[in-house]
């Protein structure tokens, strides 16, 4: 079971994702704001950060950069409708981060999370 931090400001999407990941056997802590998610990650070790890019407070790219500084082993996946922003070198997004474009199917994201967590 992996510890996943989910940051997504769309509440209905966040709840669906969290439920699907819990059903797949993971432990999920979720937030609708990047700043709140960052406060949590300071005190808890997570295996994966699953974050939207555009959010109130702290955006997902800044959240990922700061989280990676705290935990170099943290795996990062962006879920976004703005994939080009995350993939652009000037964004400063962690290079090891995976980007999954919205819209996606819940089975697709659960499978991708499992693949990321299985990778050494």
């Amino acid at each position: 079971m992996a510890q996943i931090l989910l940051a997504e400001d769309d509440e209905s999407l966040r709840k669906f994702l969290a439920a699907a990941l819990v059903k797949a056997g993971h432990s999920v802590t979720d937030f609708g704001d990047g700043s709140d998610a960052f406060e949590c990650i300071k005190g808890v070790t997570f295996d994966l950060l699953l974050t939207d890019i555009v959010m109130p407070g702290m955006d997902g790219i800044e959240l990922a950069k700061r989280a990676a500084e705290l935990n170099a082993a943290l795996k990062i996946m962006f879920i976004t409708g703005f994939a080009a922003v995350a993939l652009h070198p000037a964004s400063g997004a962690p290079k090891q981060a995976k980007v999954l474009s919205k819209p996606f199917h819940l089975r697709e994201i659960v499978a991708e999370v499992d693949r990321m967590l299985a990778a050494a």
Side-chain angles (χ1 to χ4, degrees):
M1 172 175 69
Q3 298 291 323
I4 298 173
L5 178 61
L6 171 61
E8 166 62 62
D9 62 327
D10 180 326
E11 184 177 2
S12 60
L13 177 58
R14 185 174 72 249
K15 295 303 178 191
F16 278 120
L17 281 172
L21 292 165
V22 167
K23 187 176 178 181
H26 304 293
S27 175
V28 179
T29 304
D30 64 281
F31 292 94
D33 178 285
S35 298
D36 293 340
F38 183 66
E39 288 304 312
C40 177
I41 207 166
K42 287 183 193 177
V44 180
T45 300
F46 290 94
D47 301 301
L48 174 71
L49 169 62
L50 184 58
T51 182
D52 190 6
I53 290 180
V54 179
M55 291 186 294
M58 183 184 302
D59 71 35
I61 291 176
E62 186 65 22
L63 172 60
K65 287 192 293 191
R66 290 186 182 189
E69 289 171 0
L70 293 174
N71 178 1
L74 181 69
K75 295 178 187 301
I76 300 167
M77 182 186 303
F78 294 109
I79 47 174
T80 184
F82 302 95
V85 173
L87 295 172
H88 193 279
S91 74
K95 294 186 186 337
Q96 78 278 15
K98 168 87 177 146
V99 179
L100 191 60
S101 295
K102 293 177 185 176
F104 49 77
H105 194 282
L106 286 177
R107 281 187 302 240
E108 178 185 7
I109 196 162
V110 169
E112 194 58 44
V113 163
D114 288 343
R115 276 192 289 275
M116 280 191 79
L117 292 169

mmCIF file of all heavy atoms in Angstrom, residues 47-76:
data_model
loop_
_atom_site.group_PDB
_atom_site.id
_atom_site.type_symbol
_atom_site.label_atom_id
_atom_site.label_comp_id
_atom_site.label_asym_id
_atom_site.label_seq_id
_atom_site.Cartn_x
_atom_site.Cartn_y
_atom_site.Cartn_z
ATOM 1 N N ASP A 47 4.706 8.431 -0.811
ATOM 2 C CA ASP A 47 5.361 7.732 -1.919
ATOM 3 C C ASP A 47 5.127 8.445 -3.239
ATOM 4 O O ASP A 47 5.960 8.394 -4.143
ATOM 5 C CB ASP A 47 4.827 6.294 -2.027
ATOM 6 C CG ASP A 47 5.052 5.521 -0.744
ATOM 7 O OD1 ASP A 47 6.221 5.391 -0.337
ATOM 8 O OD2 ASP A 47 4.060 5.083 -0.129
ATOM 9 N N LEU A 48 3.948 9.093 -3.354
ATOM 10 C CA LEU A 48 3.553 9.714 -4.616
ATOM 11 C C LEU A 48 2.786 11.001 -4.351
ATOM 12 O O LEU A 48 1.915 11.037 -3.484
ATOM 13 C CB LEU A 48 2.658 8.755 -5.416
ATOM 14 C CG LEU A 48 2.030 9.305 -6.702
ATOM 15 C CD1 LEU A 48 3.082 9.492 -7.794
ATOM 16 C CD2 LEU A 48 0.936 8.372 -7.209
ATOM 17 N N LEU A 49 3.128 12.028 -5.127
ATOM 18 C CA LEU A 49 2.354 13.268 -5.155
ATOM 19 C C LEU A 49 1.598 13.278 -6.474
ATOM 20 O O LEU A 49 2.201 13.221 -7.535
ATOM 21 C CB LEU A 49 3.270 14.492 -5.076
ATOM 22 C CG LEU A 49 2.602 15.841 -5.353
ATOM 23 C CD1 LEU A 49 1.512 16.136 -4.323
ATOM 24 C CD2 LEU A 49 3.645 16.952 -5.372
ATOM 25 N N LEU A 50 0.294 13.324 -6.383
ATOM 26 C CA LEU A 50 -0.588 13.376 -7.549
ATOM 27 C C LEU A 50 -1.246 14.749 -7.498
ATOM 28 O O LEU A 50 -2.034 15.027 -6.589
ATOM 29 C CB LEU A 50 -1.611 12.250 -7.456
ATOM 30 C CG LEU A 50 -2.576 12.027 -8.589
ATOM 31 C CD1 LEU A 50 -1.839 11.764 -9.894
ATOM 32 C CD2 LEU A 50 -3.487 10.854 -8.270
ATOM 33 N N THR A 51 -0.881 15.634 -8.434
ATOM 34 C CA THR A 51 -1.335 17.012 -8.315
ATOM 35 C C THR A 51 -1.792 17.624 -9.625
ATOM 36 O O THR A 51 -1.224 17.357 -10.685
ATOM 37 C CB THR A 51 -0.231 17.899 -7.685
ATOM 38 O OG1 THR A 51 -0.718 19.232 -7.542
ATOM 39 C CG2 THR A 51 1.041 17.921 -8.525
ATOM 40 N N ASP A 52 -2.827 18.438 -9.519
ATOM 41 C CA ASP A 52 -3.256 19.285 -10.620
ATOM 42 C C ASP A 52 -2.210 20.401 -10.732
ATOM 43 O O ASP A 52 -1.433 20.625 -9.802
ATOM 44 C CB ASP A 52 -4.642 19.868 -10.297
ATOM 45 C CG ASP A 52 -5.295 20.576 -11.467
ATOM 46 O OD1 ASP A 52 -4.746 20.541 -12.586
ATOM 47 O OD2 ASP A 52 -6.364 21.167 -11.263
ATOM 48 N N ILE A 53 -2.184 21.109 -11.860
ATOM 49 C CA ILE A 53 -1.251 22.226 -11.996
ATOM 50 C C ILE A 53 -1.911 23.529 -11.553
ATOM 51 O O ILE A 53 -1.376 24.263 -10.741
ATOM 52 C CB ILE A 53 -0.710 22.336 -13.431
ATOM 53 C CG1 ILE A 53 0.227 21.160 -13.710
ATOM 54 C CG2 ILE A 53 0.022 23.661 -13.634
ATOM 55 C CD1 ILE A 53 0.824 21.137 -15.089
ATOM 56 N N VAL A 54 -3.095 23.814 -12.074
ATOM 57 C CA VAL A 54 -3.765 25.077 -11.773
ATOM 58 C C VAL A 54 -4.651 24.894 -10.544
ATOM 59 O O VAL A 54 -5.645 24.175 -10.593
ATOM 60 C CB VAL A 54 -4.598 25.558 -12.986
ATOM 61 C CG1 VAL A 54 -5.310 26.856 -12.663
ATOM 62 C CG2 VAL A 54 -3.718 25.712 -14.213
ATOM 63 N N MET A 55 -4.211 25.522 -9.435
ATOM 64 C CA MET A 55 -4.951 25.433 -8.175
ATOM 65 C C MET A 55 -4.812 26.745 -7.420
ATOM 66 O O MET A 55 -3.855 27.487 -7.647
ATOM 67 C CB MET A 55 -4.370 24.323 -7.281
ATOM 68 C CG MET A 55 -4.583 22.927 -7.766
ATOM 69 S SD MET A 55 -3.996 21.733 -6.535
ATOM 70 C CE MET A 55 -2.232 22.051 -6.536
ATOM 71 N N PRO A 56 -5.737 27.003 -6.495
ATOM 72 C CA PRO A 56 -5.575 28.189 -5.643
ATOM 73 C C PRO A 56 -4.430 27.974 -4.657
ATOM 74 O O PRO A 56 -3.992 26.847 -4.435
ATOM 75 C CB PRO A 56 -6.921 28.277 -4.916
ATOM 76 C CG PRO A 56 -7.476 26.893 -4.950
ATOM 77 C CD PRO A 56 -6.957 26.268 -6.216
ATOM 78 N N GLY A 57 -3.977 29.064 -4.081
ATOM 79 C CA GLY A 57 -2.869 28.962 -3.137
ATOM 80 C C GLY A 57 -1.587 28.734 -3.900
ATOM 81 O O GLY A 57 -1.152 29.573 -4.682
ATOM 82 N N MET A 58 -1.007 27.583 -3.757
ATOM 83 C CA MET A 58 0.220 27.209 -4.456
ATOM 84 C C MET A 58 -0.146 26.336 -5.646
ATOM 85 O O MET A 58 -0.906 25.381 -5.505
ATOM 86 C CB MET A 58 1.117 26.432 -3.483
ATOM 87 C CG MET A 58 2.463 26.037 -4.027
ATOM 88 S SD MET A 58 3.408 25.012 -2.852
ATOM 89 C CE MET A 58 3.504 26.086 -1.432
ATOM 90 N N ASP A 59 0.397 26.644 -6.837
ATOM 91 C CA ASP A 59 0.085 25.803 -7.994
ATOM 92 C C ASP A 59 0.838 24.475 -7.902
ATOM 93 O O ASP A 59 1.741 24.301 -7.082
ATOM 94 C CB ASP A 59 0.340 26.532 -9.318
ATOM 95 C CG ASP A 59 1.807 26.760 -9.635
ATOM 96 O OD1 ASP A 59 2.657 25.907 -9.305
ATOM 97 O OD2 ASP A 59 2.113 27.799 -10.259
ATOM 98 N N GLY A 60 0.433 23.533 -8.741
ATOM 99 C CA GLY A 60 0.986 22.188 -8.680
ATOM 100 C C GLY A 60 2.463 22.094 -9.007
ATOM 101 O O GLY A 60 3.170 21.255 -8.452
ATOM 102 N N ILE A 61 2.952 22.944 -9.903
ATOM 103 C CA ILE A 61 4.378 22.904 -10.239
ATOM 104 C C ILE A 61 5.216 23.359 -9.052
ATOM 105 O O ILE A 61 6.206 22.721 -8.690
ATOM 106 C CB ILE A 61 4.678 23.726 -11.506
ATOM 107 C CG1 ILE A 61 4.051 23.022 -12.717
ATOM 108 C CG2 ILE A 61 6.184 23.913 -11.700
ATOM 109 C CD1 ILE A 61 4.183 23.763 -14.023
ATOM 110 N N GLU A 62 4.799 24.433 -8.401
ATOM 111 C CA GLU A 62 5.522 24.903 -7.207
ATOM 112 C C GLU A 62 5.432 23.865 -6.095
ATOM 113 O O GLU A 62 6.425 23.594 -5.405
ATOM 114 C CB GLU A 62 4.963 26.246 -6.742
ATOM 115 C CG GLU A 62 5.741 26.864 -5.597
ATOM 116 C CD GLU A 62 7.166 27.258 -5.950
ATOM 117 O OE1 GLU A 62 7.484 27.463 -7.139
ATOM 118 O OE2 GLU A 62 7.977 27.359 -5.009
ATOM 119 N N LEU A 63 4.268 23.275 -5.910
ATOM 120 C CA LEU A 63 4.095 22.228 -4.908
ATOM 121 C C LEU A 63 5.050 21.064 -5.188
ATOM 122 O O LEU A 63 5.736 20.577 -4.288
ATOM 123 C CB LEU A 63 2.645 21.727 -4.905
ATOM 124 C CG LEU A 63 2.333 20.505 -4.041
ATOM 125 C CD1 LEU A 63 2.656 20.760 -2.573
ATOM 126 C CD2 LEU A 63 0.879 20.096 -4.219
ATOM 127 N N ALA A 64 5.124 20.639 -6.443
ATOM 128 C CA ALA A 64 6.005 19.517 -6.804
ATOM 129 C C ALA A 64 7.468 19.860 -6.572
ATOM 130 O O ALA A 64 8.237 19.028 -6.061
ATOM 131 C CB ALA A 64 5.769 19.128 -8.261
ATOM 132 N N LYS A 65 7.876 21.077 -6.938
ATOM 133 C CA LYS A 65 9.275 21.479 -6.724
ATOM 134 C C LYS A 65 9.631 21.463 -5.247
ATOM 135 O O LYS A 65 10.659 20.909 -4.855
ATOM 136 C CB LYS A 65 9.531 22.885 -7.300
ATOM 137 C CG LYS A 65 9.577 22.917 -8.804
ATOM 138 C CD LYS A 65 10.114 24.223 -9.345
ATOM 139 C CE LYS A 65 9.182 25.375 -9.075
ATOM 140 N NZ LYS A 65 9.558 26.599 -9.818
ATOM 141 N N ARG A 66 8.772 22.044 -4.432
ATOM 142 C CA ARG A 66 9.052 22.107 -2.993
ATOM 143 C C ARG A 66 9.002 20.726 -2.347
ATOM 144 O O ARG A 66 9.815 20.402 -1.483
ATOM 145 C CB ARG A 66 8.061 23.033 -2.312
ATOM 146 C CG ARG A 66 8.266 24.485 -2.670
ATOM 147 C CD ARG A 66 7.338 25.343 -1.854
ATOM 148 N NE ARG A 66 7.463 26.744 -2.185
ATOM 149 C CZ ARG A 66 6.889 27.707 -1.484
ATOM 150 N NH1 ARG A 66 6.156 27.418 -0.420
ATOM 151 N NH2 ARG A 66 7.030 28.959 -1.827
ATOM 152 N N ALA A 67 8.047 19.909 -2.783
ATOM 153 C CA ALA A 67 7.928 18.551 -2.233
ATOM 154 C C ALA A 67 9.150 17.713 -2.593
ATOM 155 O O ALA A 67 9.653 16.950 -1.763
ATOM 156 C CB ALA A 67 6.652 17.891 -2.753
ATOM 157 N N ALA A 68 9.648 17.864 -3.827
ATOM 158 C CA ALA A 68 10.829 17.110 -4.257
ATOM 159 C C ALA A 68 12.077 17.527 -3.472
ATOM 160 O O ALA A 68 12.970 16.708 -3.234
ATOM 161 C CB ALA A 68 11.055 17.292 -5.758
ATOM 162 N N GLU A 69 12.133 18.788 -3.063
ATOM 163 C CA GLU A 69 13.252 19.249 -2.231
ATOM 164 C C GLU A 69 13.223 18.579 -0.859
ATOM 165 O O GLU A 69 14.262 18.289 -0.284
ATOM 166 C CB GLU A 69 13.208 20.765 -2.059
ATOM 167 C CG GLU A 69 13.552 21.525 -3.323
ATOM 168 C CD GLU A 69 13.297 23.028 -3.196
ATOM 169 O OE1 GLU A 69 12.849 23.490 -2.118
ATOM 170 O OE2 GLU A 69 13.534 23.736 -4.198
ATOM 171 N N LEU A 70 12.032 18.320 -0.338
ATOM 172 C CA LEU A 70 11.886 17.675 0.965
ATOM 173 C C LEU A 70 12.121 16.174 0.897
ATOM 174 O O LEU A 70 12.588 15.567 1.853
ATOM 175 C CB LEU A 70 10.484 17.927 1.537
ATOM 176 C CG LEU A 70 10.147 19.354 1.925
ATOM 177 C CD1 LEU A 70 8.681 19.452 2.335
ATOM 178 C CD2 LEU A 70 11.042 19.826 3.071
ATOM 179 N N ASN A 71 11.765 15.567 -0.237
ATOM 180 C CA ASN A 71 11.848 14.108 -0.387
ATOM 181 C C ASN A 71 12.248 13.781 -1.819
ATOM 182 O O ASN A 71 11.386 13.723 -2.699
ATOM 183 C CB ASN A 71 10.501 13.471 -0.030
ATOM 184 C CG ASN A 71 10.480 11.971 -0.215
ATOM 185 O OD1 ASN A 71 11.479 11.360 -0.597
ATOM 186 N ND2 ASN A 71 9.338 11.366 0.028
ATOM 187 N N ALA A 72 13.533 13.564 -2.043
ATOM 188 C CA ALA A 72 14.040 13.305 -3.399
ATOM 189 C C ALA A 72 13.484 12.010 -3.982
ATOM 190 O O ALA A 72 13.449 11.847 -5.201
ATOM 191 C CB ALA A 72 15.569 13.261 -3.388
ATOM 192 N N ALA A 73 13.032 11.084 -3.140
ATOM 193 C CA ALA A 73 12.502 9.806 -3.625
ATOM 194 C C ALA A 73 11.021 9.889 -4.006
ATOM 195 O O ALA A 73 10.463 8.937 -4.552
ATOM 196 C CB ALA A 73 12.696 8.729 -2.565
ATOM 197 N N LEU A 74 10.389 11.017 -3.730
ATOM 198 C CA LEU A 74 8.963 11.178 -4.017
ATOM 199 C C LEU A 74 8.693 11.089 -5.513
ATOM 200 O O LEU A 74 9.325 11.776 -6.312
ATOM 201 C CB LEU A 74 8.489 12.543 -3.491
ATOM 202 C CG LEU A 74 7.015 12.885 -3.689
ATOM 203 C CD1 LEU A 74 6.134 11.991 -2.816
ATOM 204 C CD2 LEU A 74 6.780 14.352 -3.366
ATOM 205 N N LYS A 75 7.745 10.256 -5.888
ATOM 206 C CA LYS A 75 7.319 10.172 -7.277
ATOM 207 C C LYS A 75 6.235 11.225 -7.480
ATOM 208 O O LYS A 75 5.430 11.462 -6.585
ATOM 209 C CB LYS A 75 6.803 8.778 -7.601
ATOM 210 C CG LYS A 75 7.904 7.722 -7.512
ATOM 211 C CD LYS A 75 7.383 6.337 -7.779
ATOM 212 C CE LYS A 75 8.402 5.265 -7.545
ATOM 213 N NZ LYS A 75 9.590 5.329 -8.310
ATOM 214 N N ILE A 76 6.236 11.850 -8.661
ATOM 215 C CA ILE A 76 5.325 12.964 -8.920
ATOM 216 C C ILE A 76 4.583 12.739 -10.223
ATOM 217 O O ILE A 76 5.195 12.406 -11.243
ATOM 218 C CB ILE A 76 6.092 14.297 -8.980
ATOM 219 C CG1 ILE A 76 6.798 14.556 -7.645
ATOM 220 C CG2 ILE A 76 5.158 15.450 -9.355
ATOM 221 C CD1 ILE A 76 7.826 15.663 -7.682
#
